[in-house]
Amino acid sequence: MVSKFIPDINKVYFINKYTIFHIMDGAGLIQVDFKNYDDWRDKIIYLEPGQYIKFFSDNFSVRKIEFEDEAFFKNKEVRVLFKHLISLGYIDFEECAECQQYLSSTVLSPEVGNIIDVSSQQWFWQNPFQASKEEYHIIFDIKEVIDREFHHNITQQQVTELINSNELSAQKLMKNKVGISVKKLMLEKRLLEGKRALAFTDKNVQEVAYDLGYKDPAYFNRLFTQTVGTNPKEFRKTVDFKHRDSFVEDILELLKMYHKEHHSIGFYSDKMNLSVKTLSKKVKSRLSTSLGQLIREEIVHSAKQMLMSGESVKQVSQALHFEEISHFSSFFKHYTAQSPSDFADKKYN
């Protein structure tokens, strides 16, 4: 089923079917499974049942495609799109001409599964972890075992035994290609499920700990606090999705209004009538990122928009209140890995 909609700000949209999101317009952050992303532009996002997505602005325009038939999701070539390892599952929309063809209107052909086939081919072509198909199968076999067995408190050795792979080779492959150990991937899965239980159920901390396979709730409490930065009870209060978070709306609105002229954290702390330390702490707890990062993301986004509209590097630099063009060029290249001129040339060509 294909639909277009304007998502409500701060509303949690639970995913019940394998779903594609193509964000056609908007500005601001999105959140998927407690992680915030600003790099969703020019991408098609793939979510599987059990996940959620939330939008931190009310100016998004989204195309959503839900798939009724789950048969082709058993294909090992397809799972790379939906079994997220360290970030969102996505492909670059601008680099996939066939994807654009399928998504050029809100009505797709009866062969709706074709978009999945095309997307899978594109994902392997992009090759985000620079691995062979055989290596990808081992990596995602590990992920599937962890997703299925995480609450049984299995060891790294048991994970690799379940996929019939050499333990050291599988662990080395995961570390070298994905940049994360099997042990860390298991910990992140358990913490994610713990966050979901704390945010979306009424279970107490002890029940959550037992469900995750921890025999000692006190140990789970310490581990959660050490890893997440707040204890489970405080986390539950912070992510109270039942109530609208005016703080998040206020700070994001200020960033939209003033990021071109004001780049310092102190300016926003004055506007929010908070100390720099308090504001920084609240932003970190609510949005899992720093205020400085949010400011830089807004600046980069505006710079890209202006460059794409044909404005010169000098004009963009002045509009964003950089003292020197060289300062702006260095800033842009540092955060995008390409110069402003190269970015503009790539878009036009």
Side-chain angles (χ1 to χ4, degrees), residues 102-165:
Y102 280 111
L103 298 178
S104 60
S105 68
T106 56
V107 180
L108 299 182
S109 70
E111 299 296 326
V112 70
N114 287 349
I115 186 61
I116 297 296
D117 294 334
V118 169
S119 300
S120 300
Q121 294 168 14
Q122 180 73 10
W123 194 93
F124 280 111
W125 178 81
Q126 290 175 192
N127 197 4
F129 298 115
Q130 300 303 304
S132 67
K133 278 197 175 185
E134 291 74 18
E135 289 172 329
Y136 274 124
H137 287 322
I138 295 174
I139 290 169
F140 282 93
D141 283 345
I142 291 172
K143 182 65 169 68
E144 287 193 344
V145 169
I146 290 174
D147 285 349
R148 187 178 69 244
E149 305 289 343
F150 70 91
H151 55 286
H152 290 149
N153 199 19
I154 59 176
T155 65
Q156 296 181 82
Q157 181 180 352
Q158 289 172 320
V159 171
T160 52
E161 286 175 353
L162 285 170
I163 65 169
N164 297 315
S165 178

Side-chain angles (χ1 to χ4, degrees), residues 3-137:
S3 61
K4 271 186 178 181
F5 74 108
I6 306 297
D8 294 333
I9 187 171
N10 277 348
K11 179 178 178 180
V12 175
Y13 290 90
F14 292 102
I15 308 303
N16 299 313
K17 302 172 183 176
Y18 287 95
T19 305
I20 290 177
F21 281 91
H22 176 216
I23 302 175
M24 297 180 292
D25 194 19
L29 298 174
I30 66 170
Q31 184 179 92
V32 176
D33 291 346
F34 309 101
K35 287 185 179 181
N36 299 323
Y37 300 91
D38 75 312
D39 59 344
W40 46 262
R41 297 171 184 85
D42 302 328
K43 294 177 172 63
I44 309 174
I45 299 167
Y46 301 80
L47 301 181
E48 65 177 346
Q51 295 188 281
Y52 78 83
I53 188 169
K54 184 172 77 162
F55 300 83
F56 286 111
S57 174
D58 58 2
N59 62 0
F60 283 99
S61 177
V62 179
R63 179 189 284 113
K64 180 175 72 171
I65 305 173
E66 292 182 315
F67 296 89
E68 302 292 339
D69 181 11
E70 296 190 6
F72 52 91
F73 293 102
K74 306 300 181 184
N75 187 328
K76 288 190 174 185
E77 302 291 310
V78 169
R79 63 183 175 172
V80 296
L81 298 169
F82 295 91
K83 286 285 180 186
H84 304 170
L85 292 166
I86 57 176
S87 184
L88 279 177
Y90 67 83
I91 62 170
D92 290 322
F93 182 64
E94 286 197 338
E95 295 182 2
C96 184
E98 290 185 81
C99 300
Q100 296 178 41
Q101 175 185 345
Y102 280 111
L103 298 178
S104 60
S105 68
T106 56
V107 180
L108 299 182
S109 70
E111 299 296 326
V112 70
N114 287 349
I115 186 61
I116 297 296
D117 294 334
V118 169
S119 300
S120 300
Q121 294 168 14
Q122 180 73 10
W123 194 93
F124 280 111
W125 178 81
Q126 290 175 192
N127 197 4
F129 298 115
Q130 300 303 304
S132 67
K133 278 197 175 185
E134 291 74 18
E135 289 172 329
Y136 274 124
H137 287 322

